[in-house]
């Protein structure tokens, strides 16, 4: 008998849900590009010609290439599994890296030299190094993903989403809540319920238009600003900036202190995002994803962009909104065209920020919820443990920015004075260094202890000790004995777990509430199988 395969299901290039996902994800990327444009112009004082003529076109090339690649990857997965509900991975400029490259890499150089171009060179070189590290991580990440508990992976991703993705937008929203809250309400109604707008109007578009209308009617926007921005529109063609990159790489050593841990951060974040997509039903090959992310950063840097793109947090959100493969390609093409045409100055004067940023808060809500929903209930404490380093990193960043605005720093104020005011700055600083990798270690450690898998807990604690000793976590920079006290603490944890491992304590028995892919089900005792009862004729 010849076995016939089921016919391939039709795979459309665009479905109605892609429209919702396009407006949601497109607005997300739009916000980030507007933000990095403002940072380049306002903080580093780069000229508009450099920003609109080189950096944004370079970013545009990386975005269109990456989103087309992820569209094709999604369609390949859909054909292989004969499904029509595969959602492409979202791809765009990495939000944490945007702020890190500006404030940690470029701004100190600009303040020291008063030369924006020298700061730009360092940023481009830093982005190039990040890309190389992610390319290397493509061959390491799959092994980490295979053995790390899902609670650790999704918990640290939720930590990034709640802090760096959601908190600043939330603050911007409540500055102008009369614009932002109606937008958020529309997004929640349209994306978290089955309620449809009249005429099936895409909810992302409706929310943006409503917020923009409220902002203009309320006087938050200015016609002269729009007219002035419109005069700056000009076509810019990207070109290779090898001289800029080579000049930046000549002084590479100072960049490695942040590039190495943040490169590890990048491939770890990519790994957790792939795990998040797998939890939502789309199991992508991690190596293919990380190779594309690394290549995007390298190519972008060669073209003059200091902003490495990466797979975004939020795949489950766009999947829930009905997005499939088309939304990703459409976003990449549209944002790239806006970059090439220098439209971002104009867009910033048309759309109120408060009408745009609620989509980021929505993503934070969804990813935070997924971390608890897609892991065993017993691992809830492990999810929280993975969150904590990212919260610490965000909190100390806010403290540093506030102190810098006051013309001082934590070092000048002193730990004693801060502690006297109830601010545990020094401990939070150590906890938050290398936050995503630290969250992965802490989350895995707690999950293994909960499951009474003490050998795995011992290995995880020993790994944390090594990472702390060389400064990849809980250290200010990569160096020998970066934080010996923390390394010793993790080593003591390994020593405590070892006797329990030697005692061969049985692991925790899974419950029906456990996620089947996280914890293997127990093997039941064999029991005799009774013969099947006769099948009633009525059931045939």
């Amino acid at each position: 008998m010849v076995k016939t395969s089921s016919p391939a299901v039709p795979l459309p290039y665009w479905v109605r849900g892609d429209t919702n996902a396009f407006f949601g994800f497109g607005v997300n990327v739009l916000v980030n590009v507007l933000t990095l444009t403002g940072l380049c112009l306002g903080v580093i004082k780069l000229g508009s010609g450099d920003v609109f003529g080189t950096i944004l076109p370079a970013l545009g090339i990386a975005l269109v290439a990456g989103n087309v690649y992820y569209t094709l990857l999604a369609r390949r997965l859909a054909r292989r599994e004969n499904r029509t509900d595969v959602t492409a991975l979202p791809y765009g400029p990495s939000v944490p890296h945007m702020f890190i490259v500006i404030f940690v890499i470029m701004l100190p150089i600009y303040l020291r030299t008063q030369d924006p171009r020298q700061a730009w060179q360092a940023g481009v070189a830093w982005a190039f190094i990040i890309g190389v590290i992610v390319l290397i991580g493509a061959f390491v990440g799959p092994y980490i993903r295979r053995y790390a508990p899902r609670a650790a992976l999704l918990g640290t991703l939720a930590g990034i989403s709640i802090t760096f993705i959601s908190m600043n937008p939330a603050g911007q929203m409540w500055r102008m809540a009369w614009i932002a809250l109606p937008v958020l309400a529309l997004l929640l109604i349209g994306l978290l319920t089955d309620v449809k707008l009249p005429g099936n109007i895409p909810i992302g578009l409706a929310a943006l238009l409503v917020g923009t209308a409220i902002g203009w009617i309320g006087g938050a926007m200015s016609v002269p600003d729009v007219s002035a921005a419109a005069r700056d529109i000009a076509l810019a063609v990207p070109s290779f900036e090898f001289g800029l990159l080579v000049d930046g790489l000549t002084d590479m050593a100072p960049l490695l202190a942040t590039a190495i841990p943040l490169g590890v951060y990048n491939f770890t974040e990519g790994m957790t995002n792939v795990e998040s997509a797998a939890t939502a039903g789309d199991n992508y090959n991690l190596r293919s994803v990380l190779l594309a992310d690394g290549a995007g950063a390298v190519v972008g840097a060669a073209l003059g962009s200091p902003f490495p793109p990466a797979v975004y947090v939020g795949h489950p959100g766009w999947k829930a909104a009905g997005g499939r493969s088309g939304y990703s390609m459409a976003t990449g093409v549209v944002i790239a065209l806006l970059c090439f045409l220098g439209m971002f100055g104009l867009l910033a004067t048309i759309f109120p920020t408060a009408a745009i940023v609620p989509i980021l808060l929505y993503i934070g809500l969804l990813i935070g919820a997924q971390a608890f929903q897609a892991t065993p209930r017993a691992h809830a404490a492990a999810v929280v443990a993975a969150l904590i380093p990212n919260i610490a990193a965000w909190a100390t960043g806010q403290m540093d920015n506030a102190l810098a605005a006051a013309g001082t720093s934590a070092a000048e104020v002193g730990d004693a004075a801060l502690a006297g005011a109830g601010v545990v700055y020094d401990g939070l600083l150590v906890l938050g260094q290398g936050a995503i990798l630290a969250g992965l270690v802490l989350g895995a450690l707690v999950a293994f202890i909960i499951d009474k898998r003490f050998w795995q807990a011992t290995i995880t604690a020993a790994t944390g000790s090594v990472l702390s000793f060389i400064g990849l976590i809980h250290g200010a920079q990569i160096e020998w004995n970066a934080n010996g006290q923390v390394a010793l603490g993790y080593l003591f944890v390994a020593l405590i777990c070892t006797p329990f491992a030697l005692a061969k304590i049985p692991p925790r028995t899974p419950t029906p509430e456990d996620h089947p892919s996280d914890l293997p089900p127990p093997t039941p005792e064999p029991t005799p199988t009774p013969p099947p009862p006769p099948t009633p004729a009525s059931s045939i």
Side-chain angles (χ1 to χ4, degrees), residues 103 107 168 393-413 418 423 425:
F103 290 105
L107 181 59
N168 284 342
W394 179 82
T396 51
Q398 293 294 300
M399 295 178 206
D400 288 338
N401 292 342
L403 290 169
T408 185
S409 66
E412 292 178 6
V413 174
L418 290 170
V423 179
Y425 178 86

Side-chain angles (χ1 to χ4, degrees), residues 131-510:
V132 172
I133 293 171
V134 174
L135 288 173
I136 296 171
F139 299 93
V140 178
Y143 298 101
I144 299 175
R145 184 188 174 206
R146 183 180 304 170
Y147 297 109
R150 177 166 287 179
L153 291 168
L154 296 185
T156 194
L157 181 61
I160 299 167
S161 181
I162 291 169
T163 53
F164 294 103
I165 308 298
S166 299
M167 289 303 294
N168 284 342
Q172 291 174 307
M173 285 172 60
W174 262 261
R175 280 179 179 170
M176 305 185 78
W178 53 284
I179 297 175
L181 289 181
V183 174
L184 179 63
L186 279 172
L187 291 172
L188 296 179
I189 291 168
L191 298 177
L192 296 183
T193 75
D194 58 358
V195 175
K196 304 296 181 186
L197 295 181
N200 278 335
I201 299 172
I203 194 67
L205 174 61
L208 179 61
L209 293 179
V210 166
T212 301
I214 294 173
W216 277 96
I217 293 170
M221 311 305 288
S222 166
V223 173
D225 289 344
V226 176
S227 302
R231 290 193 290 270
D232 293 332
I233 296 175
L235 177 64
V237 179
S239 61
F240 285 105
E241 299 286 342
F242 291 121
L244 195 73
L245 176 59
V246 171
D247 288 343
L249 289 173
T250 56
D251 194 19
M252 186 173 64
L255 304 177
L256 293 176
T258 55
I260 291 176
L262 285 165
V264 174
Y265 166 101
N266 246 26
F267 83 72
T268 310
E269 182 183 25
M271 179 175 63
T272 54
N273 285 331
V274 169
E275 182 67 20
S276 177
T279 303
D282 297 335
N283 198 0
Y284 286 98
N285 180 273
L286 177 59
R287 185 162 294 158
S288 299
V289 170
L290 293 177
L291 286 173
D293 278 9
V298 168
V299 171
L303 292 169
S305 170
F307 303 104
V311 165
Y312 266 18
V313 174
H315 168 278
W318 310 129
K319 190 174 188 70
R324 296 301 174 248
S325 64
Y327 87 100
S328 178
M329 183 181 291
T331 298
V333 170
V334 170
I335 298 296
L337 287 175
L338 295 175
C339 288
F340 300 151
L341 294 173
M343 294 285 290
F344 278 93
L346 176 63
L347 293 174
T349 64
I350 294 175
F351 299 114
T353 302
I356 298 174
V357 293
I359 191 68
L360 300 179
L361 182 57
Y362 159 75
I363 292 298
L365 295 175
L366 208 74
I367 299 301
Q370 185 198 49
F372 290 95
Q373 293 168 346
T375 55
R377 180 174 294 184
H379 285 180
V383 172
V384 175
L387 289 172
I388 289 175
N390 290 283
I391 296 173
W394 179 82
T396 51
Q398 293 294 300
M399 295 178 206
D400 288 338
N401 292 342
L403 290 169
T408 185
S409 66
E412 292 178 6
V413 174
D415 290 338
L418 290 170
V423 179
V424 193
Y425 178 86
D426 53 346
L428 288 176
L429 180 65
V430 172
L431 173 59
Q433 288 166 332
I436 189 168
L437 198 54
L440 191 63
V441 170
L442 284 176
L445 180 61
V446 174
F448 286 138
I449 289 175
I450 290 170
D451 288 340
K452 294 183 287 187
R453 294 154 71 182
F454 290 109
W455 277 126
Q456 289 92 329
T458 300
I459 293 169
T460 302
T463 302
S465 180
V466 173
L467 294 176
S468 301
F469 193 78
I470 62 177
L472 277 174
I473 61 175
H474 310 307
Q477 60 185 11
I478 304 296
E479 60 182 352
W480 200 248
N481 194 17
N483 199 324
Q485 292 186 7
V486 176
L488 187 62
Y490 278 114
L491 183 60
F492 284 156
V493 173
L495 293 175
I496 287 172
C497 290
T498 300
F500 293 97
L502 293 172
K504 297 182 179 180
I505 298 172
R508 180 178 72 89
T509 302

Side-chain angles (χ1 to χ4, degrees), residues 13-65:
Y13 284 94
W14 192 268
V15 298
R16 176 148 197 92
D18 279 319
T19 306
N20 263 335
F22 166 71
F23 280 106
F25 178 52
V27 167
N28 187 342
V29 178
L30 183 70
V31 172
N32 294 336
V33 179
L34 286 171
T35 301
L36 66 88
T37 301
L39 291 172
C40 288
L41 294 171
V43 176
I44 307 302
K45 308 300 181 184
L46 282 167
S48 58
D50 291 330
V51 175
F52 295 114
T54 301
I55 292 177
L56 291 190
L59 182 62
I61 286 289
L63 290 181
V64 72

Side-chain angles (χ1 to χ4, degrees), residues 98-145:
M98 266 177 3
F99 294 99
I100 291 166
V101 72
I102 289 291
F103 290 105
V104 177
I105 303 299
M106 298 172 71
L107 181 59
I109 293 175
Y110 170 69
L111 293 175
R112 187 176 69 249
T113 65
Q114 295 299 306
D115 183 355
R117 185 172 180 83
Q118 193 169 336
W120 183 15
Q121 291 170 357
V124 167
W126 179 86
F128 179 84
I129 297 168
I130 290 285
V132 172
I133 293 171
V134 174
L135 288 173
I136 296 171
F139 299 93
V140 178
Y143 298 101
I144 299 175
R145 184 188 174 206

